[in-house]
Amino acid sequence: MKTNNIATISFALLIMLSNACSNAVEETQDEIGKTDELFTITKNQYAEEKMELGEPELYLFEETVKANGQLIAAPEGMAEVNTHVSGIIKSINLMVGDYVKKGQILCSIEGNEIIMLQQEYQELSANLMSLKADYERIKILSKENISSQKEFLSTESAYKSALAKHAGLTSRLDLLNINPEKIAQGKISSTIQLVSPINGYISKQFCSLGQYVDSQKMLMEIVDTRKLQLKFYVFEKDILKLKNEQVVKFYSPDENDNTFMGKLIKIGKSINPETKTIECTASIHPNEDVNFVNGMFMMVEVVTSNIEMLALPDEAILKSGDDFHIMVKEKEDDSNYYFKQIKVNPGSAQNGYTAIELENKPTQVLIKGLYNLIVD
């Protein structure tokens, strides 16, 4: 009777153990496993994790020299608006941020100096006619030996001196945008108008209505943003890597995903003894959609060389301790894929790709969906 009870209990335990093993197998059917040095991934999980297969491809890696830079207007792309006479600001037509065209009126100035300059020109113009007549008369008399040589030289000197002064006053009036012909007609104005010497945007303004300004004072600064250049500073150790016409990439420190292109056009010939850097200049490729600003800071990369190497997406390379591996597909059946773990030596990394060194190029590498895969 005892023997029958023991047999019954043993049979029941055997059934329970068998069920437990069966459940364990079912629970692990959809998990990544490792069997005989091959990793097993079910086709269900392959689809759920959105995994993909690919192969190493030749990718162009760039060697670059990095630097800090700034957008600066070219010499012909920046202008300071000054007044050549003192006076009072009578009107201001524009303000910072406004776009102006060459020759457009910016502001006007009135003052006594403007009036006195026109009066002097008018008086000299009238006197010049008399001096010219005397000079022509004495010149004829001198040729006929009627007038002395001394009198001729004195008259000639007075006339030519007045002529030179008249030319100087004419140039001064031109600087003030005053038409000398109108002054000769008796039209004297107490106001002058300052105009823009270039096309561009007003970037600075140092004047206000009613303000007294001295001659040569800067009233406005105008920048043509279409003529901005990239100034950057390269350390001494990298200078020999630079050549004119090299590609230059640059971006704002706050928006490193938005990269702009340029070309190296000037390499300085003197090293700053304090910073141990050399100043370089790059032109900027035209881009209508970008609102560049004069003085804007940029991060700069000069492409010094290009190397073509086998590469895989960064996601395809797994790190285990100090080693790096990729998963190469060996075989498959109706339910599973089987992958072999292969050690690789990663190299340069750029734009989501990493160069790798391989003796034999595999054709089917797991390149996507590896984030849940754990390797030993």
Side-chain angles (χ1 to χ4, degrees):
M1 191 70 174
K2 285 184 178 181
T3 301
N4 291 337
N5 289 337
I6 292 172
T8 301
I9 294 171
S10 298
F11 181 72
L13 290 173
L14 183 61
I15 292 174
M16 292 174 63
L17 181 59
S18 176
N19 289 336
C21 291
S22 177
N23 290 336
V25 171
E26 290 176 358
E27 289 175 358
T28 59
Q29 278 182 348
D30 290 336
E31 295 179 358
I32 297 174
K34 184 178 180 182
T35 306
D36 297 332
E37 298 185 354
L38 292 180
F39 282 82
T40 303
I41 300 178
T42 68
K43 291 188 175 181
N44 286 338
Q45 185 167 10
Y46 182 90
E48 290 174 0
E49 298 290 343
K50 297 182 180 179
M51 294 181 175
E52 290 183 15
L53 292 172
E55 63 178 314
E57 297 179 355
L58 288 174
Y59 187 85
L60 197 63
F61 287 91
E62 298 173 340
E63 290 189 357
T64 62
V65 169
K66 296 184 178 181
N68 295 324
Q70 192 175 13
L71 296 178
I72 301 292
E76 70 277 11
M78 177 181 286
E80 293 182 357
V81 179
N82 303 297
T83 171
H84 298 283
V85 294
S86 59
I88 303 294
I89 301 293
K90 183 179 181 180
S91 66
I92 300 174
N93 297 1
L94 299 159
M95 59 188 299
V96 173
D98 286 337
Y99 180 80
V100 296
K101 293 182 178 180
K102 183 176 179 179
Q104 185 174 345
I105 297 174
L106 302 174
C107 63
S108 62
I109 298 175
E110 63 178 359
N112 289 329
E113 187 176 345
I114 299 169
I115 298 173
M116 292 172 63
L117 181 62
Q118 294 173 86
Q119 286 178 333
E120 185 179 1
Y121 177 83
Q122 189 180 50
E123 292 171 359
L124 183 60
S125 295
N127 190 36
L128 189 62
M129 294 176 64
S130 175
L131 290 172
K132 183 180 180 180
D134 286 344
Y135 170 70
E136 295 292 345
R137 180 178 61 82
I138 296 296
K139 184 178 180 181
I140 294 173
L141 294 175
S142 178
K143 286 182 179 180
E144 296 177 354
N145 294 321
I146 300 176
S147 174
S148 67
Q149 186 68 16
K150 181 178 180 181
E151 185 180 4
F152 169 73
L153 292 175
S154 176
T155 304
E156 182 184 46
S157 176
Y159 170 64
K160 289 187 175 180
S161 176
L163 197 63
K165 188 175 182 180
H166 184 271
L169 285 174
T170 301
S171 296
R172 289 185 66 185
L173 292 172
D174 288 338
L175 287 174
L176 300 176
N177 296 310
I178 298 176
N179 189 345
E181 293 182 1
K182 290 185 177 180
I183 300 174
Q185 297 171 4
K187 298 178 181 179
I188 295 178
S189 173
S190 63
T191 305
I192 61 170
Q193 295 176 329
L194 301 185
V195 299
S196 176
I198 62 172
N199 296 328
Y201 292 90
I202 298 177
S203 57
K204 296 179 183 178
Q205 183 173 321
F206 304 100
C207 58
S208 57
L209 287 177
Q211 178 185 357
Y212 177 82
V213 292
D214 293 317
S215 61
Q216 305 305 319
K217 175 180 174 60
M218 184 173 77
L219 303 180
M220 294 183 186
E221 179 186 81
I222 301 172
V223 174
D224 187 349
T225 54
R226 297 172 303 174
K227 295 182 179 180
L228 290 177
Q229 295 179 331
L230 180 65
K231 296 280 186 181
F232 58 96
Y233 304 88
V234 175
F235 285 107
E236 183 178 358
K237 64 182 180 65
D238 294 321
I239 292 173
L240 296 180
K241 300 176 184 178
L242 303 182
K243 294 179 182 179
N244 281 337
E245 305 297 320
Q246 286 175 331
V247 174
V248 176
K249 299 180 178 181
F250 61 100
Y251 52 89
S252 169
D254 299 325
E255 295 184 11
N256 53 12
D257 292 333
N258 196 8
T259 302
F260 307 100
M261 306 298 292
K263 181 175 63 176
L264 183 60
I265 58 173
K266 292 180 182 178
I267 302 172
K269 303 302 178 185
S270 179
I271 296 174
N272 186 314
E274 295 181 1
T275 62
K276 302 298 181 183
T277 60
I278 189 169
E279 181 179 290
C280 299
T281 305
S283 61
I284 300 172
H285 292 180
N287 193 328
E288 297 290 341
D289 299 327
V290 179
N291 293 321
F292 286 137
V293 177
N294 185 51
M296 196 173 184
F297 286 96
M298 291 289 175
M299 305 300 294
V300 182
E301 295 182 11
V302 183
V303 180
T304 56
S305 64
N306 295 298
I307 302 175
E308 201 170 45
M309 303 175 68
L310 278 178
L312 283 169
D314 294 342
E315 188 181 348
I317 301 174
L318 298 171
K319 184 176 181 181
S320 177
D322 295 328
D323 297 328
F324 296 86
H325 302 86
I326 60 174
M327 307 301 293
V328 178
K329 179 186 169 185
E330 289 287 305
K331 60 181 181 178
E332 67 175 285
D333 55 30
D334 293 339
S335 302
N336 303 309
Y337 293 112
Y338 300 92
F339 292 87
K340 184 177 181 180
Q341 177 180 319
I342 295 180
K343 185 178 178 181
V344 295
N345 294 319
S348 300
Q350 196 172 63
N351 298 329
Y353 283 83
T354 299
I356 56 172
E357 296 179 10
L358 289 171
E359 292 183 4
N360 298 309
K361 178 184 173 182
T363 58
Q364 290 189 306
V365 178
L366 195 59
I367 62 171
K368 204 168 186 179
L370 285 78
Y371 42 83
N372 287 328
L373 187 59
I374 300 174
V375 299
D376 296 330

